[in-house]
Amino acid sequence: MGLLLERHGSAGKTVIPLEFAVPAGPVIVEAEQPGDAFLSVTAKARRELIGDPLLQTYDRGSAGRAWAFLHSGRPSRLVVKAKGAWTVRVHDIGSASPLDGSTVTRTGCDVLAYDGAAGDAFVDYVKAVDELDTDSIHVHLLPAGSVAARDVDWPVVSSESARHAFRLPGPCHLFIRTDGTWSMAVQRVG
């Protein structure tokens, strides 16, 4: 499937109805802006917030990629608040960035797919500098075959710049949520 929706807009508040068949499991929401301005993307199903916000940035370029679990039978929408031009895309989970034998390095949020055997993962995290010192890293893990938000585990939640180790159960999807810079590698067992 891949790309499910793409929308472009300008400054202000825009509501984007998600009028496609809701896939099982999460979808990937991606946002970017060509200039340095405020951009925030939140997902809603009826009145319920799915993420508060999923993505937010003040910087030119990518605001990152986040996952959202949409609910079949409930009208879902994205709410974009921006002070400049923007692009938002929604992809199926098959568009996750691969986590294979190499080290993945990013700044900000991303969704990864791991297809290997059980192993140990290492994420090196450098906190983003802001006036309030509020950045942290959250690693969310969804085992392969699981499609419900209740199946998500959080093996890393930290506000410390450090190396964090955790166990991968085998094939899974990972959502790394942070404003900081991180790199992840996997050491397979056996």
Side-chain angles (χ1 to χ4, degrees):
M1 282 179 93
L3 184 65
L4 301 171
L5 176 118
E6 181 173 340
R7 294 290 183 270
H8 306 274
S10 57
K13 179 179 176 181
T14 304
V15 177
I16 304 169
L18 300 179
E19 297 171 337
F20 50 79
V22 175
V27 296
I28 299 172
V29 178
E30 170 183 44
E32 63 185 50
Q33 61 182 354
D36 289 331
F38 174 73
L39 173 65
S40 171
V41 181
T42 303
K44 290 181 132 185
R46 289 201 184 160
R47 295 186 178 108
E48 173 191 348
L49 283 177
I50 299 173
D52 188 23
L54 291 175
L55 299 167
Q56 182 171 303
T57 188
Y58 291 88
D59 300 323
R60 167 188 325 232
S62 175
R65 294 164 26 117
W67 71 25
F69 288 85
L70 305 178
H71 305 285
S72 184
R74 288 193 219 165
S76 298
R77 60 202 180 282
L78 296 177
V79 179
V80 179
K81 295 178 182 174
K83 293 198 174 179
W86 52 267
T87 300
V88 169
R89 295 178 192 89
V90 179
H91 304 270
D92 67 22
I93 195 67
S95 297
S97 302
L99 175 61
D100 49 23
S102 61
T103 300
V104 173
T105 302
R106 302 271 193 283
T107 298
C109 301
D110 201 0
V111 179
L112 307 175
Y114 176 68
D115 291 326
D120 296 318
F122 300 92
V123 61
D124 292 299
Y125 162 64
V126 178
K127 183 181 238 180
V129 177
D130 65 20
E131 294 173 7
L132 301 175
D133 191 34
T134 58
D135 190 40
S136 60
I137 187 167
H138 296 234
V139 177
H140 308 242
L141 186 150
L142 181 67
S146 297
V147 295
R150 69 178 173 275
D151 296 331
V152 172
D153 185 22
W154 294 16
V156 176
V157 176
S158 177
S159 60
E160 300 299 320
S161 292
R163 170 170 268 208
H164 303 279
F166 62 98
R167 186 85 171 142
L168 290 175
C172 61
H173 285 95
L174 301 156
F175 169 31
I176 293 69
R177 183 180 185 108
T178 184
D179 291 331
T181 300
W182 54 272
S183 62
M184 185 177 292
V186 177
Q187 180 179 5
R188 294 190 174 119
V189 176

